[in-house]
Amino acid sequence: MSSDDLKRTAAKAALEEVLPKLGRDGIIGIGTGSTANCFIDLLAEHRGVFDAAVASSDASAARLRQHGIAVIDLNAAASIAVYIDGADEVDPQRRLIKGGGGALTREKICAASADEFICIVDHTKVVDVLGTFAVPVEVIPMARGLVGRAIVAAGGTPVLREDFVTDNGNLILDVYGLKLTDPARMETDLNNVVGTVCNGIFAAQAADRVIVAGPEGTRWLT
Ligand code: 5RP
């Protein structure tokens, strides 16, 4: 099975799980990336059974609209039944590194706003300890140097993501080499550096459930 097939398998399992829970006035939260795109494409067939979506990026909002799915602003959503998104790394406690697509801030906001966050990944994303994948940190442009120096002091190596501006108008530092033995602590420490908008460690609020698609089938981390 190709990586794309596995992403579609995880997305299909998520769809089967969430569709029965979405009433006609239900709002679904949608993430960003190739796995989230698989979910969007499958969701299109069912656009009549729920009300609208909230998207974690302009790219996902555009894809949803191309499929005829209404997209609303998060502030207009009374509640979000479930948020579906991929991840770059997942550990056994369902803590994540996200932000490979640069949408980490809106992703964290959507996840925090939803009643449930279901993460969908292929098996290659599952690790024992987070941290091989660089941790993306969204920074206010004028604070790039300040935040970068604080990250070096914390033991990381920040690399500016070239030719990239987030949907919020900010920059991304991809941080290599951080020791993530206590991911929640590192998430807080990075957030406390002035000029940081958000970082891609999802430990304070891990995913509620993770669907992992592999060659032997689909399993859940709960
Ligand atoms: C985007 C993300 C994505 O969920 C993450 O990068 C995984 O992407 P993909 O599904 O393409 O492997 O956090 O900011």
Side-chain angles (χ1 to χ4, degrees), residues 7 32-36 85-88 98-104 107 125:
K7 288 174 182 182
T32 299
S34 55
T35 318
D85 199 358
D88 300 298
K98 289 184 49 52
L104 57 142
E107 289 170 345
K125 305 288 185 67

Side-chain angles (χ1 to χ4, degrees), residues 99-123:
L104 57 142
T105 301
R106 295 188 186 191
E107 289 170 345
K108 208 175 266 195
I109 292 169
C110 287
S113 304
D115 296 340
E116 186 180 20
F117 172 19
I118 298 179
C119 181
I120 50 176
V121 293
D122 68 75
H123 66 115

